[in-house]
Amino acid sequence: MESTTALMLANATWYSSWYDNDNQTNASDGGGEGVPGGPGWVLPAWVGTLAVLIRVRLGICYVALFCNAVVLGFQIKLQSFRKTQYYFAVILIISDILFISCTFGETYRYIHRRVPIPPFYNGLYLSSHMMGWLAVIAVGVDRYLALIKMPFTYKFKITIKKYVLVTLAMMVWSSLYAFVFTRYFQQSDTVVQYRGFIVLAASLIISTAVYVKMFFAVKKSFRAMNLGDRIQQMRLKQTRRLMFAFSMILITNAICFTPLTVVFLTIYFVHQGEGLYLPKNLIILNVILNLRALNSILNPIIYWWQVIFREISLPCRSTKEDSSDPSTKMSTISKTN
């Protein structure tokens, strides 16, 4: 998948080229009317549209940073990182924060014309993006181990310490991936365009396969479950909520990231990269970049509503259920007597 840096540089190159050429043309004519910023000069409509889209992206970054910070704060308060079923959700939120921080930094530098953008932003984008996909896959694998592969020995074999080691391995892999493609390849290289498509396709296929398998496994477990086993019921309901939340996150990731990959593949392989700097294509690409940034708002909202909000309200519900349970009332009366 193409990085934000490439498009930022494309915007800057096109605008600077147009601005300089227009300046030289008017200077050769003796200056006066028509000079950019001077009397009679009219800003092209596409430049104004481009400026609005970029500032909208900056606003999306502010909102996304706020949403992810709130969700991360609740996860820390609830100590979700201590529960294996929610551990990789914390990793996903952190990767979203890094990703949207990278987008914000690039957008801010571009607005203030601090170009070219340092390669650090491209590397951070690639590593955080890879970490996000790995976290989505890891949630499905974790639930597969807990409910299908080793339901009776899961708590003894799978510990937080082991998941910390897995996280370190994910970080090393993501960092190496970012380093190689930032250090040894140019954005215009063919392998970079294939990389974006391969990473997206592989992530979607693996994630979808794991989640579909988990869906049928949870459905089968509900049918075979003993109605009197409240602990198993609660465990399956938590898993179902978590899997539904991450299935929605998987769908939004596909919707928000696929268009950019398809557009870049079309530009580079159908039009040999010639259409990248056309005003119409720059506007389309910036709309898609805004959609991609919007994904970092949708992820925490989905996770908040499906998992955290229900986790907070669960004690209240269980208290009401216990108070309405006759056996609980009788035990309370016997204790007072």
Side-chain angles (χ1 to χ4, degrees):
M1 183 173 296
E2 197 67 25
S3 70
T4 312
T5 304
L7 187 54
M8 290 295 179
L9 290 175
N11 290 339
T13 302
W14 175 263
Y15 180 76
S16 299
S17 175
W18 171 83
Y19 187 91
D20 292 339
N21 290 337
D22 200 59
N23 248 331
Q24 292 172 5
T25 302
N26 284 281
S28 64
D29 292 339
E33 291 190 0
V35 176
W41 179 68
V42 179
L43 183 72
W46 70 267
V47 176
T49 303
L50 195 62
V52 170
L53 288 173
I54 293 171
R55 292 191 178 275
V56 167
R57 183 154 64 251
L58 195 65
I60 292 174
C61 290
Y62 279 119
V63 177
L65 284 171
F66 173 77
C67 291
N68 281 281
V70 169
V71 171
L72 182 61
F74 272 103
Q75 286 176 320
I76 294 174
K77 183 178 180 180
L78 296 172
Q79 296 187 340
S80 298
F81 53 87
R82 293 181 178 273
K83 303 175 182 178
T84 54
Q85 66 264 37
Y86 300 136
Y87 178 83
F88 288 110
V90 179
I91 303 300
L92 176 63
I93 294 298
I94 293 174
S95 67
D96 263 342
I97 290 175
L98 293 175
F99 176 83
I100 205 65
S101 297
C102 171
T103 304
F104 173 81
E106 288 184 321
T107 308
Y108 182 84
R109 288 180 65 92
Y110 176 66
I111 288 176
H112 294 276
R113 305 198 65 171
R114 297 178 183 176
V115 290
I117 307 296
F120 165 77
Y121 288 93
N122 187 23
L124 182 61
Y125 157 76
L126 290 175
S127 59
S128 59
H129 182 252
M130 176 61 72
M131 278 291 291
W133 277 116
L134 291 176
V136 171
I137 295 172
V139 169
V141 173
D142 169 73
R143 293 298 85 197
Y144 172 79
L145 293 175
L147 297 178
I148 301 176
K149 192 68 176 178
M150 49 179 71
F152 302 107
T153 60
Y154 171 82
K155 288 187 177 181
F156 303 101
K157 292 184 178 181
I158 306 298
T159 62
I160 291 296
K161 290 183 179 180
K162 290 183 179 180
Y163 272 0
V164 170
L165 293 176
V166 172
T167 303
L168 291 175
M170 290 165 56
M171 291 174 62
V172 171
W173 169 254
S174 301
S175 300
L176 285 175
Y177 165 76
F179 175 77
V180 169
F181 281 99
T182 304
R183 180 69 176 81
Y184 297 106
F185 295 96
Q186 300 294 324
Q187 294 296 330
S188 57
D189 292 345
T190 303
V191 66
V192 173
Q193 311 309 320
Y194 281 121
R195 177 213 70 201
F197 174 76
I198 291 172
V199 169
L200 178 65
S203 301
L204 286 175
I205 291 172
I206 295 173
S207 302
T208 303
V210 171
Y211 281 68
V212 168
K213 188 174 184 65
M214 281 304 306
F215 169 78
F216 287 107
V218 172
K219 188 176 181 180
K220 183 179 180 180
S221 297
F222 264 109
R223 289 179 177 176
M225 182 178 56
N226 185 0
L227 296 178
D229 193 347
R230 295 188 60 185
I231 296 178
Q232 183 66 7
Q233 285 181 356
M234 184 177 297
R235 186 180 179 187
L236 285 173
K237 286 180 180 178
Q238 286 179 341
T239 298
R240 186 169 62 179
R241 286 200 302 268
L242 187 67
M243 298 306 297
F244 179 77
F246 273 82
S247 297
M248 293 298 296
I249 289 173
L250 177 64
I251 293 172
T252 56
N253 281 0
I255 294 173
C256 293
F257 284 96
T258 302
L260 188 62
T261 301
V262 172
V263 168
F264 267 110
L265 285 174
T266 303
I267 289 175
Y268 276 95
F269 293 108
V270 178
H271 302 290
Q272 287 75 45
E274 295 178 357
L276 180 62
Y277 301 105
L278 294 177
K280 179 181 70 174
N281 288 343
L282 284 178
I283 291 173
I284 292 174
L285 287 171
N286 274 275
V287 170
I288 294 174
L289 277 178
N290 288 356
L291 177 65
R292 188 184 67 176
L294 188 64
N295 180 71
S296 294
I297 296 178
L298 297 176
N299 284 353
I301 290 177
I302 292 171
Y303 186 76
W304 161 264
W305 181 253
Q306 286 296 324
V307 180
I308 296 182
F309 177 77
R310 295 174 183 269
E311 189 78 8
I312 293 173
S313 62
L314 187 61
C316 300
R317 292 181 180 179
S318 60
T319 302
K320 290 180 180 179
E321 289 176 0
D322 291 341
S323 62
S324 61
D325 190 354
S327 61
T328 305
K329 292 181 179 179
M330 290 299 296
S331 62
T332 304
I333 293 173
S334 61
K335 286 181 181 180
T336 56
N337 293 335

